[in-house]
Amino acid sequence: MYTNERNVQMLIYLMKKHGIKKVIASPGTTNITLVASMQNDPWFEIYSAADERSAAYMACGLAAESGEPVALSCTGATASRNYIPALIENYPYLL
């Protein structure tokens, strides 16, 4: 079952349109509607990582191995700062 939140519906639509299937989620209260909607959609492959820093490294590795884009989802703006070390270290490989 999808959420009735319009912004989440639009994000899921855009992810599908751009072929983003793989998602690493650090679930929490602020992204629960997005994560729950993707879990109930067979299009997505969801991986869970409670620690955001580990999630970012997992995403970089998964993207490198699969050759596909990988999305990250966390609970808030301050949590997203934990993605920075992995993205900086892997920047040359992400291009």
Side-chain angles (χ1 to χ4, degrees), residues 10-88:
M10 288 188 290
L11 180 58
I12 288 173
Y13 168 80
L14 290 169
M15 289 175 74
K16 287 181 174 184
K17 183 174 175 146
H18 291 281
I20 301 171
K21 294 181 177 187
K22 295 175 177 13
V23 179
I24 303 206
S26 299
T29 57
T30 57
N31 68 345
I32 192 66
T33 55
L34 173 65
V35 173
S37 294
M38 289 188 297
Q39 284 178 324
N40 291 314
D41 190 325
W43 169 267
F44 295 102
E45 291 177 38
I46 307 290
Y47 302 88
S48 182
D51 175 62
E52 287 87 6
R53 186 172 174 152
S54 297
Y57 281 105
M58 288 172 57
C60 290
L62 186 58
E65 285 296 314
S66 68
E68 298 176 22
V70 178
L72 287 162
S73 176
C74 64
T75 59
T78 55
S80 67
R81 293 178 189 161
N82 292 311
Y83 294 155
I84 294 171
L87 298 177
I88 289 171

